[in-house]
Coordinates of all heavy atoms in Angstrom, one line a residue:
M1 N 76.0 104.7 54.5 CA 75.5 103.8 53.5 C 74.0 103.5 53.9 O 73.8 103.1 55.0 CB 76.3 102.6 53.4 CG 75.7 101.6 52.5 SD 76.8 100.5 52.1 CE 77.2 99.2 52.2
R2 N 73.1 103.7 53.0 CA 71.7 103.4 53.2 C 71.5 101.9 53.2 O 71.9 101.2 52.4 CB 70.9 104.1 52.2 CG 69.4 104.1 52.5 CD 68.7 104.9 51.5 NE 68.8 106.3 51.9 CZ 67.9 107.0 52.5 NH1 66.7 106.5 52.7 NH2 68.0 108.3 52.8
C3 N 70.7 101.5 54.2 CA 70.4 100.0 54.4 C 69.3 99.7 53.4 O 68.2 100.2 53.4 CB 70.0 99.7 55.8 SG 69.6 98.0 56.0
S4 N 69.6 98.8 52.4 CA 68.6 98.4 51.4 C 67.6 97.4 51.9 O 66.7 97.1 51.1 CB 69.4 97.9 50.2 OG 70.1 96.7 50.5
A5 N 67.7 96.9 53.1 CA 66.8 95.9 53.6 C 65.4 96.6 53.9 O 64.4 95.9 54.0 CB 67.3 95.3 54.9
F6 N 65.4 97.9 54.1 CA 64.2 98.6 54.4 C 63.7 99.4 53.2 O 64.5 100.0 52.5 CB 64.4 99.5 55.6 CG 64.8 98.8 56.8 CD1 66.1 98.9 57.3 CD2 63.9 98.0 57.5 CE1 66.5 98.3 58.4 CE2 64.3 97.4 58.7 CZ 65.6 97.5 59.1
P7 N 62.3 99.5 53.0 CA 61.8 100.4 52.0 C 62.2 101.8 52.2 O 62.2 102.3 53.4 CB 60.3 100.1 52.1 CG 60.1 98.9 52.9 CD 61.3 98.8 53.8
E8 N 62.4 102.6 51.1 CA 62.8 104.0 51.2 C 61.8 104.8 52.1 O 62.2 105.6 52.9 CB 62.9 104.6 49.8 CG 64.1 104.1 49.0 CD 65.4 104.7 49.5 OE1 65.4 105.9 49.9 OE2 66.4 104.0 49.4
D9 N 60.5 104.6 51.8 CA 59.5 105.4 52.6 C 59.5 105.1 54.1 O 59.2 106.0 54.9 CB 58.1 105.2 52.0 CG 57.5 103.8 52.0 OD1 58.4 102.8 52.0 OD2 56.3 103.6 52.1
L10 N 59.8 103.8 54.4 CA 59.8 103.5 55.8 C 61.0 104.1 56.5 O 60.9 104.7 57.6 CB 59.9 102.0 56.0 CG 60.0 101.4 57.4 CD1 58.8 101.9 58.3 CD2 60.0 99.9 57.4
V11 N 62.2 104.1 55.8 CA 63.4 104.8 56.3 C 63.2 106.3 56.5 O 63.5 106.9 57.5 CB 64.6 104.5 55.4 CG1 65.8 105.3 55.9 CG2 64.9 103.0 55.5
A12 N 62.5 106.9 55.5 CA 62.3 108.3 55.5 C 61.3 108.7 56.7 O 61.6 109.7 57.4 CB 61.6 108.8 54.2
A13 N 60.3 107.9 56.9 CA 59.4 108.1 58.0 C 60.1 108.0 59.3 O 59.9 108.8 60.3 CB 58.2 107.2 57.9
Q14 N 61.0 107.0 59.5 CA 61.7 106.8 60.7 C 62.7 107.9 61.0 O 62.9 108.4 62.1 CB 62.4 105.4 60.8 CG 63.1 105.2 62.1 CD 62.2 105.0 63.2 OE1 61.2 104.3 63.1 NE2 62.5 105.6 64.4
C15 N 63.4 108.4 59.9 CA 64.3 109.5 60.0 C 63.5 110.8 60.4 O 64.0 111.5 61.3 CB 65.0 109.8 58.7 SG 66.3 108.5 58.4
A16 N 62.4 111.0 59.8 CA 61.5 112.1 60.2 C 61.1 112.0 61.7 O 61.0 113.0 62.4 CB 60.3 112.3 59.3
W17 N 60.8 110.8 62.1 CA 60.4 110.6 63.5 C 61.5 111.0 64.4 O 61.3 111.7 65.4 CB 60.0 109.1 63.7 CG 59.4 108.8 65.0 CD1 58.1 108.7 65.3 CD2 60.1 108.6 66.3 NE1 57.9 108.4 66.6 CE2 59.1 108.3 67.2 CE3 61.4 108.6 66.6 CZ2 59.4 108.1 68.6 CZ3 61.7 108.3 68.0 CH2 60.7 108.1 68.9
E18 N 62.7 110.6 64.1 CA 63.9 110.9 64.9 C 64.1 112.4 65.0 O 64.4 112.9 66.1 CB 65.2 110.2 64.3 CG 65.2 108.7 64.4 CD 65.4 108.2 65.8 OE1 65.9 108.8 66.7 OE2 65.0 107.0 66.0
R19 N 64.0 113.1 63.8 CA 64.2 114.5 63.8 C 63.1 115.2 64.6 O 63.4 116.2 65.4 CB 64.2 115.1 62.4 CG 65.4 114.8 61.6 CD 65.4 115.5 60.3 NE 64.2 115.3 59.5 CZ 64.1 114.3 58.6 NH1 65.1 113.5 58.4 NH2 63.0 114.2 57.9
T20 N 61.9 114.8 64.5 CA 60.8 115.4 65.2 C 60.9 115.1 66.7 O 60.7 116.1 67.5 CB 59.4 114.8 64.8 OG1 59.3 115.0 63.3 CG2 58.2 115.4 65.5
Y21 N 61.3 114.0 67.1 CA 61.6 113.7 68.5 C 62.6 114.6 69.1 O 62.5 115.1 70.2 CB 62.0 112.2 68.7 CG 62.0 111.7 70.1 CD1 60.9 111.3 70.8 CD2 63.2 111.7 70.8 CE1 61.0 110.9 72.1 CE2 63.3 111.3 72.1 CZ 62.2 110.9 72.8 OH 62.2 110.5 74.1
Q22 N 63.7 114.8 68.4 CA 64.8 115.7 68.8 C 64.3 117.1 68.9 O 64.6 117.8 69.9 CB 66.0 115.6 67.9 CG 66.7 114.3 68.0 CD 67.3 114.0 69.4 OE1 67.8 114.9 70.0 NE2 67.1 112.8 69.8
S23 N 63.5 117.5 68.0 CA 62.9 118.9 68.0 C 62.0 119.0 69.3 O 62.0 120.1 69.9 CB 62.1 119.2 66.8 OG 62.9 119.2 65.7
L24 N 61.2 118.0 69.6 CA 60.3 118.1 70.7 C 61.1 118.2 72.0 O 60.7 118.8 73.0 CB 59.4 116.8 70.7 CG 58.3 116.8 71.8 CD1 57.4 118.0 71.6 CD2 57.5 115.5 71.6
A25 N 62.3 117.5 72.1 CA 63.1 117.6 73.3 C 63.9 118.9 73.4 O 64.4 119.2 74.5 CB 64.1 116.4 73.2
D26 N 64.0 119.7 72.4 CA 64.7 120.9 72.4 C 63.9 122.0 73.1 O 62.8 122.3 72.6 CB 65.0 121.4 70.9 CG 65.9 122.6 70.9 OD1 66.2 123.2 71.9 OD2 66.3 122.9 69.7
P27 N 64.4 122.6 74.2 CA 63.7 123.6 74.9 C 63.3 124.9 74.0 O 62.4 125.6 74.3 CB 64.6 124.0 76.0 CG 65.6 123.0 76.1 CD 65.7 122.3 74.8
A28 N 64.1 125.1 73.0 CA 63.8 126.2 72.1 C 62.5 126.1 71.4 O 61.9 127.1 70.8 CB 64.9 126.4 71.1
N29 N 61.9 124.9 71.3 CA 60.7 124.6 70.6 C 59.5 124.5 71.6 O 58.5 123.9 71.2 CB 60.8 123.3 69.8 CG 61.7 123.5 68.7 OD1 61.8 124.5 68.0 ND2 62.5 122.4 68.4
R30 N 59.5 125.2 72.7 CA 58.4 125.1 73.7 C 57.1 125.6 73.1 O 56.1 125.1 73.5 CB 58.7 126.0 74.9 CG 59.6 125.3 75.9 CD 59.7 126.2 77.1 NE 60.1 127.5 76.7 CZ 60.4 128.5 77.5 NH1 60.4 128.2 78.8 NH2 60.8 129.6 77.1
Q31 N 57.1 126.5 72.2 CA 55.9 127.1 71.6 C 55.3 126.1 70.6 O 54.2 126.4 70.1 CB 56.1 128.4 71.0 CG 56.7 129.5 72.0 CD 55.7 129.7 73.1 OE1 54.5 129.8 73.0 NE2 56.2 129.8 74.4
R32 N 56.0 125.1 70.2 CA 55.6 124.2 69.1 C 55.3 122.8 69.6 O 55.1 121.9 68.7 CB 56.6 124.2 68.0 CG 57.0 125.5 67.4 CD 58.0 125.4 66.3 NE 57.6 124.4 65.3 CZ 58.5 123.5 64.7 NH1 59.8 123.6 65.1 NH2 58.1 122.7 63.9
T33 N 55.1 122.6 70.8 CA 55.0 121.2 71.3 C 53.8 120.5 70.8 O 53.8 119.3 70.5 CB 55.0 121.1 72.9 OG1 53.9 121.9 73.4 CG2 56.3 121.6 73.4
T34 N 52.7 121.2 70.7 CA 51.4 120.5 70.2 C 51.6 120.1 68.7 O 51.3 118.9 68.4 CB 50.2 121.5 70.3 OG1 50.0 121.9 71.6 CG2 49.0 120.8 69.7
V35 N 52.2 120.9 67.9 CA 52.4 120.6 66.5 C 53.4 119.4 66.4 O 53.2 118.5 65.6 CB 52.9 121.8 65.7 CG1 53.4 121.4 64.3 CG2 51.9 122.9 65.7
L36 N 54.5 119.5 67.2 CA 55.5 118.4 67.1 C 54.9 117.1 67.7 O 55.2 116.0 67.1 CB 56.7 118.9 67.9 CG 57.5 120.0 67.3 CD1 58.6 120.5 68.3 CD2 58.2 119.5 66.0
R37 N 54.1 117.1 68.7 CA 53.5 115.9 69.2 C 52.6 115.3 68.2 O 52.6 114.0 68.0 CB 52.8 116.2 70.5 CG 53.7 116.4 71.7 CD 53.0 116.6 73.0 NE 53.9 116.9 74.0 CZ 53.5 117.2 75.2 NH1 52.3 117.3 75.6 NH2 54.4 117.4 76.2
R38 N 51.8 116.1 67.6 CA 50.9 115.6 66.5 C 51.7 114.9 65.4 O 51.3 113.9 64.9 CB 50.0 116.7 66.0 CG 48.9 117.1 66.9 CD 48.0 118.1 66.4 NE 47.0 118.5 67.3 CZ 46.4 119.7 67.4 NH1 46.7 120.6 66.5 NH2 45.5 119.9 68.3
R39 N 52.8 115.6 65.0 CA 53.6 115.1 63.9 C 54.2 113.7 64.3 O 54.3 112.8 63.5 CB 54.7 116.1 63.5 CG 55.6 115.7 62.5 CD 54.9 115.5 61.1 NE 55.9 115.2 60.1 CZ 55.7 114.4 59.1 NH1 54.5 113.9 58.9 NH2 56.6 114.1 58.2
L40 N 54.7 113.7 65.6 CA 55.3 112.5 66.1 C 54.3 111.3 66.1 O 54.6 110.2 65.7 CB 55.8 112.7 67.5 CG 56.8 111.7 68.1 CD1 58.1 111.7 67.2 CD2 57.2 112.1 69.5
L41 N 53.0 111.6 66.4 CA 52.0 110.6 66.4 C 51.7 110.1 65.0 O 51.6 108.9 64.7 CB 50.7 111.1 67.0 CG 50.7 111.2 68.6 CD1 49.5 111.9 69.1 CD2 50.8 109.8 69.2
E42 N 51.6 111.0 64.0 CA 51.4 110.7 62.6 C 52.6 109.8 62.1 O 52.3 108.8 61.4 CB 51.4 111.9 61.8 CG 50.1 112.8 62.0 CD 50.2 114.1 61.3 OE1 51.2 114.4 60.6 OE2 49.3 114.9 61.4
L43 N 53.8 110.2 62.4 CA 54.9 109.4 62.0 C 55.0 108.0 62.7 O 55.4 107.0 62.0 CB 56.2 110.2 62.2 CG 56.4 111.4 61.3 CD1 57.5 112.3 61.9 CD2 56.7 111.0 59.9
S44 N 54.6 108.0 63.9 CA 54.6 106.7 64.6 C 53.6 105.7 64.0 O 53.9 104.5 63.8 CB 54.1 106.9 66.1 OG 55.1 107.7 66.8
V45 N 52.4 106.2 63.5 CA 51.5 105.4 62.8 C 52.0 104.9 61.5 O 51.9 103.7 61.2 CB 50.1 106.1 62.6 CG1 49.2 105.4 61.7 CG2 49.5 106.3 64.0
Q46 N 52.7 105.8 60.8 CA 53.3 105.4 59.5 C 54.3 104.3 59.6 O 54.3 103.4 58.9 CB 53.9 106.6 58.8 CG 53.0 107.6 58.2 CD 53.7 108.8 57.6 OE1 54.9 108.7 57.3 NE2 53.0 109.9 57.5
V47 N 55.2 104.5 60.7 CA 56.2 103.5 60.9 C 55.7 102.2 61.4 O 56.0 101.1 60.9 CB 57.3 104.1 61.8 CG1 58.3 103.0 62.2 CG2 58.0 105.2 61.2
W48 N 54.8 102.3 62.4 CA 54.3 101.0 63.1 C 53.5 100.2 62.1 O 53.6 99.0 62.2 CB 53.5 101.4 64.3 CG 53.1 100.2 65.1 CD1 51.9 99.6 65.0 CD2 53.9 99.5 66.0 NE1 51.9 98.5 65.9 CE2 53.1 98.4 66.5 CE3 55.2 99.6 66.5 CZ2 53.6 97.5 67.4 CZ3 55.7 98.7 67.4 CH2 54.9 97.7 67.8
W49 N 52.6 100.8 61.3 CA 51.7 100.0 60.5 C 52.2 99.9 59.0 O 51.4 99.5 58.2 CB 50.3 100.6 60.5 CG 49.7 100.5 61.9 CD1 49.6 101.6 62.8 CD2 49.3 99.4 62.6 NE1 49.0 101.1 64.0 CE2 48.8 99.7 63.8 CE3 49.2 98.0 62.2 CZ2 48.3 98.8 64.7 CZ3 48.6 97.1 63.1 CH2 48.2 97.5 64.4
H50 N 53.4 100.1 58.8 CA 53.9 100.0 57.4 C 53.8 98.6 56.9 O 54.1 97.6 57.7 CB 55.4 100.5 57.3 CG 55.9 100.6 56.0 ND1 56.3 99.6 55.2 CD2 56.0 101.8 55.2 CE1 56.7 100.0 54.0 NE2 56.5 101.4 54.0
P51 N 53.4 98.3 55.7 CA 53.3 96.9 55.2 C 54.5 96.1 55.3 O 54.4 94.8 55.4 CB 52.9 97.1 53.7 CG 52.3 98.5 53.6 CD 53.0 99.3 54.7
Y52 N 55.7 96.7 55.4 CA 56.9 95.9 55.5 C 56.9 95.0 56.7 O 57.5 93.9 56.6 CB 58.1 96.9 55.6 CG 59.4 96.2 55.9 CD1 60.1 95.6 54.9 CD2 59.9 96.3 57.2 CE1 61.3 94.9 55.3 CE2 61.1 95.7 57.5 CZ 61.8 95.0 56.6 OH 63.0 94.4 56.9
W53 N 56.3 95.4 57.8 CA 56.3 94.6 59.0 C 55.6 93.3 58.9 O 55.8 92.4 59.8 CB 55.8 95.5 60.2 CG 56.6 96.7 60.4 CD1 56.2 98.0 60.4 CD2 58.0 96.8 60.6 NE1 57.2 98.9 60.6 CE2 58.3 98.2 60.7 CE3 59.0 95.9 60.8 CZ2 59.6 98.6 61.0 CZ3 60.3 96.3 61.0 CH2 60.6 97.7 61.1
R54 N 54.7 93.2 57.9 CA 54.0 91.9 57.8 C 55.0 90.7 57.5 O 54.7 89.6 58.0 CB 53.0 92.0 56.6 CG 51.9 92.9 56.9 CD 50.8 92.9 55.8 NE 49.9 94.0 56.0 CZ 49.6 94.8 55.1 NH1 50.0 94.7 53.8 NH2 48.8 95.8 55.3
Q55 N 56.1 90.9 56.8 CA 57.0 89.8 56.6 C 58.3 90.0 57.3 O 59.2 89.1 57.2 CB 57.2 89.7 55.0 CG 58.1 90.8 54.4 CD 57.3 91.9 53.8 OE1 56.1 91.9 53.9 NE2 58.0 92.9 53.2
A56 N 58.5 91.1 58.0 CA 59.8 91.3 58.7 C 60.0 90.4 59.9 O 59.0 90.1 60.6 CB 60.0 92.8 59.1
G57 N 61.2 90.0 60.2 CA 61.5 89.2 61.4 C 61.6 90.1 62.6 O 61.6 91.3 62.5
T58 N 61.7 89.4 63.7 CA 61.9 90.2 65.0 C 63.2 90.8 65.0 O 64.2 90.4 64.4 CB 61.7 89.2 66.2 OG1 62.7 88.2 66.1 CG2 60.4 88.6 66.3
G59 N 63.3 91.9 65.7 CA 64.5 92.7 65.8 C 64.7 93.7 64.7 O 65.6 94.5 64.7
Q60 N 63.9 93.7 63.7 CA 64.0 94.6 62.5 C 63.6 96.0 62.9 O 64.2 97.0 62.4 CB 63.2 94.1 61.3 CG 63.7 92.8 60.7 CD 65.2 93.0 60.3 OE1 65.5 93.9 59.5 NE2 66.0 92.2 60.8
R61 N 62.7 96.2 63.9 CA 62.3 97.5 64.3 C 63.5 98.2 64.9 O 63.8 99.4 64.7 CB 61.1 97.5 65.2 CG 59.9 97.1 64.5 CD 58.7 97.2 65.5 NE 57.5 96.6 64.9 CZ 56.6 97.2 64.1 NH1 56.7 98.4 63.8 NH2 55.6 96.5 63.7
A62 N 64.3 97.5 65.7 CA 65.5 98.1 66.4 C 66.5 98.4 65.3 O 67.2 99.4 65.4 CB 66.0 97.2 67.4
A63 N 66.6 97.6 64.3 CA 67.6 97.8 63.2 C 67.2 99.0 62.4 O 68.1 99.8 62.0 CB 67.7 96.6 62.3
L64 N 65.9 99.2 62.2 CA 65.4 100.4 61.5 C 65.8 101.7 62.3 O 66.3 102.6 61.7 CB 63.9 100.3 61.3 CG 63.3 101.6 60.7 CD1 63.8 101.8 59.2 CD2 61.8 101.5 60.7
R65 N 65.5 101.7 63.6 CA 65.8 102.8 64.4 C 67.3 103.1 64.4 O 67.7 104.3 64.3 CB 65.3 102.6 65.8 CG 63.8 102.7 66.0 CD 63.3 102.8 67.4 NE 63.7 101.6 68.2 CZ 63.0 100.5 68.3 NH1 61.9 100.4 67.7 NH2 63.5 99.5 69.0
S66 N 68.1 102.1 64.5 CA 69.6 102.3 64.5 C 70.0 102.9 63.1 O 70.8 103.8 63.1 CB 70.2 100.9 64.7 OG 71.6 101.0 64.7
S67 N 69.5 102.3 62.1 CA 69.8 102.9 60.7 C 69.4 104.3 60.6 O 70.2 105.1 60.0 CB 69.1 102.0 59.6 OG 69.6 100.7 59.6
A68 N 68.3 104.7 61.1 CA 67.8 106.0 61.0 C 68.7 107.0 61.8 O 69.0 108.1 61.4 CB 66.3 106.1 61.4
R69 N 69.1 106.5 63.0 CA 70.0 107.4 63.8 C 71.3 107.6 63.1 O 71.9 108.7 63.2 CB 70.2 106.7 65.2 CG 68.9 106.9 66.0 CD 69.2 106.3 67.4 NE 67.9 106.3 68.1 CZ 67.4 105.2 68.7 NH1 68.1 104.0 68.6 NH2 66.2 105.2 69.3
E70 N 71.9 106.5 62.5 CA 73.1 106.6 61.8 C 73.0 107.6 60.6 O 73.9 108.4 60.4 CB 73.6 105.3 61.2 CG 74.1 104.4 62.3 CD 74.4 103.0 61.8 OE1 74.5 102.8 60.5 OE2 74.6 102.1 62.6
L71 N 71.9 107.5 59.9 CA 71.7 108.4 58.8 C 71.5 109.9 59.3 O 72.0 110.8 58.7 CB 70.4 108.1 58.0 CG 70.5 106.8 57.1 CD1 69.1 106.4 56.6 CD2 71.5 107.0 56.0
G72 N 70.8 110.0 60.4 CA 70.6 111.4 60.9 C 71.9 112.0 61.5 O 72.1 113.2 61.5
S73 N 72.8 111.2 61.9 CA 74.0 111.7 62.5 C 75.1 111.9 61.5 O 76.2 112.4 61.8 CB 74.6 110.7 63.6 OG 75.1 109.6 63.0
G74 N 74.8 111.5 60.2 CA 75.8 111.7 59.2 C 76.8 110.6 59.0 O 77.7 110.7 58.2
A75 N 76.6 109.5 59.8 CA 77.5 108.4 59.8 C 77.2 107.5 58.6 O 78.0 106.6 58.3 CB 77.5 107.6 61.1
G76 N 76.0 107.7 58.0 CA 75.6 106.8 56.9 C 75.9 107.2 55.5 O 76.4 108.1 55.0

């Protein structure tokens, strides 16, 4: 179940961040590390500076990461 407390674009960026991080950790992607690191940095900026954080309370970043992991694992 998708958490409605977060904007769709923020959840999508965090899910993409999780997938990119996993790809970077995969030894099969050794030839793509530069591309993956750049993508991870782009996504980090999108997530960190998203306008949602201006009004969000503390602990919401961890909740977003947890929600993205659940969605990525198919539990959501």
Side-chain angles (χ1 to χ4, degrees):
M1 175 165 107
R2 189 171 281 256
C3 182
S4 62
F6 300 108
E8 290 283 326
D9 61 330
L10 180 57
V11 173
Q14 184 65 46
C15 287
W17 189 97
E18 295 288 336
R19 286 190 306 271
T20 304
Y21 187 84
Q22 290 300 317
S23 293
L24 188 57
D26 186 353
N29 291 322
R30 277 188 308 191
Q31 302 298 321
R32 300 180 54 220
T33 57
T34 300
V35 172
L36 291 170
R37 285 180 183 177
R38 285 181 183 154
R39 179 68 177 145
L40 197 60
L41 286 171
E42 291 170 3
L43 291 166
S44 294
V45 168
Q46 286 178 22
V47 170
W48 187 262
W49 295 107
H50 193 279
Y52 170 79
W53 300 121
R54 289 184 194 134
Q55 74 266 1
T58 58
Q60 292 302 304
R61 290 185 192 271
L64 173 65
R65 286 191 300 271
S66 177
S67 295
R69 286 185 190 121
E70 287 177 13
L71 286 171
S73 70

